[in-house]
Amino acid sequence: MTDPYTAPGMSPGLTPGHLGAPAEEPDGRPPGEPYAVEPPDPRKVRTGAACCLSVAAIAGVACMVLLAVVLLWPSSSEPRAADVTGGGAGSVQVSVDQGASLTDIGRALVADGVVASVRAFTDAAANHPAGNRIQPGTYTLKKKMSVAAALGILLDPANANALTIPEGRRAEQIYAAVDQRLKLAPGTTKGVAQQHSGDLGLPDDAKGNPEGYLFPSTYPVTGETTALGLLQQMVKQSNEVYGTAGLDSAATALAQTPYGILTVASLVEGEADNPEDMAKVARVIYNRLAKNMPLQLDSSINYALGRSSLTTTTTDTQLDSPFNTYLHTGLPPTPIANPGRDALRAAADPAEGDWLYFVTVRPGDTRFTDSFEQQQKNVAEFNAYQAQQSSPPAGGGH
């Protein structure tokens, strides 16, 4: 039977327009696409999207760069650091304390009218090869100087008016140095220390004795500086340093008082040939204390006799003094000097070892041992070396 809906010459089936048949579309056009719209090329779509993203990324980077320039570039309205020209006029003294920063120095200069601005000074100092080497002291400068002129004076140590106390100096030596520096009659500073001991700021453990609390450092000197003022600065500095040196915790660990640790540090300062040996010397002292052995330290006898000597005679070891550590066990009653930071560190953190003896045979050659027989041999070498140096031999040792 012939399908009535099949046109002549056509095969049976769904014809265009027949119910359920797809509409006739132009060749190559996706189904359902309007005739008037060309289908997008996927490659072109991807290319356009990539271009848009690239443009957006470039624009974003440009905005970030612009923002950074705006935020970081100095404002044209910001004034340049003020400065003047010339070497100034008049005279003014400016003190530079130990540990002062460039900003601290700049503020002092501005306060005294020497330079026009802190920033101009700190910038000049920071750009100078030796700008961070300004020594403590009191400098004579002028009013309204250029920062270059002021810096030139400050960088010359010869212009620093100051008093430097080296490590290990005794109180008596420091008193004499203050007298000389302030052009006072000999004995003046010692008298001030005795009469004003309660005004020095000493801790209770010191019992009014400044020994050990006159910290070695450099202190500015001006025309108004007094002996009492200098001693107060030294005690203040010692209290600050000792407060951060861990003496309290070390005292607990080493079965001592903080004052005892300070005393050990003073002995270490007097005995060690160099900073590298200090921790070992401290350990010898603690080992002897633990065994209740006399310390037998020449430095303590030298302190009692008010001298400095490498030799100790048999007569010296019989000296009737609480500082004679050949006769008396334990630590001396007070420090025997004013120790520096290295000696304090050694006393608070001694080296590990079982040494009981040491002797410096010759400079740079300190020998430590726990054997008395070996110590005797080392002492014999020390005496032989001293004889070669035309010094009288000694029977000492530690």
Side-chain angles (χ1 to χ4, degrees), residues 116-129:
S117 74
V118 175
R119 199 183 81 190
F121 173 77
T122 55
D123 287 349
N127 291 325
H128 194 287

Side-chain angles (χ1 to χ4, degrees), residues 152-363:
I153 293 176
L154 293 169
L155 289 176
D156 186 351
N159 295 325
N161 192 7
L163 172 65
T164 298
I165 305 299
E167 291 85 351
R169 292 296 189 270
R170 304 168 189 155
E172 292 280 351
Q173 295 171 311
I174 295 174
Y175 298 152
V178 174
D179 285 342
Q180 183 177 12
R181 185 65 189 80
L182 299 184
K183 296 180 173 58
L184 303 173
T188 299
T189 302
K190 180 178 181 179
V192 169
Q194 293 172 339
Q195 296 167 18
H196 297 276
S197 61
D199 300 322
L200 297 180
L202 294 167
D204 294 338
D205 287 346
K207 297 179 180 178
N209 184 355
E211 194 71 85
Y213 288 93
L214 304 177
F215 193 77
S217 186
T218 298
Y219 299 94
V221 175
T222 70
E224 289 74 39
T225 298
T226 65
L228 178 59
L230 274 176
L231 295 179
Q232 288 172 330
Q233 287 185 58
M234 295 176 195
V235 173
K236 178 182 178 182
Q237 181 75 359
S238 73
N239 287 331
E240 292 175 355
V241 172
Y242 299 164
T244 60
L247 300 192
D248 290 340
S249 58
T252 301
L254 296 166
Q256 293 291 329
T257 65
Y259 192 67
I261 301 295
L262 177 59
T263 302
V264 171
S266 72
L267 295 170
V268 168
E269 191 76 72
E271 291 287 342
D273 181 52
N274 56 67
E276 290 72 25
D277 289 332
M278 286 183 170
K280 289 184 176 181
V281 172
R283 175 50 67 188
V284 170
I285 292 174
Y286 289 125
N287 286 348
R288 283 191 165 233
L289 290 173
K291 292 180 176 292
N292 202 33
M293 295 174 62
L295 296 180
Q296 296 183 326
L297 299 176
D298 298 343
S299 58
S300 63
I301 289 182
N302 285 339
Y303 181 76
L305 295 173
R307 72 181 189 189
S308 296
S309 174
L310 290 176
T311 61
T312 300
T313 66
T314 301
T315 301
D316 293 336
T317 63
Q318 302 303 313
L319 179 69
D320 182 14
S321 168
F323 289 92
N324 183 353
T325 54
Y326 280 83
L327 288 181
H328 304 287
T329 58
L331 292 172
T334 73
I336 64 168
N338 294 273
R341 297 177 191 272
D342 288 335
L344 285 167
R345 279 192 290 266
D349 186 19
E352 292 297 326
D354 54 4
W355 313 291
L356 292 172
Y357 311 93
F358 72 91
V359 62
T360 300
V361 174
R362 55 181 60 83

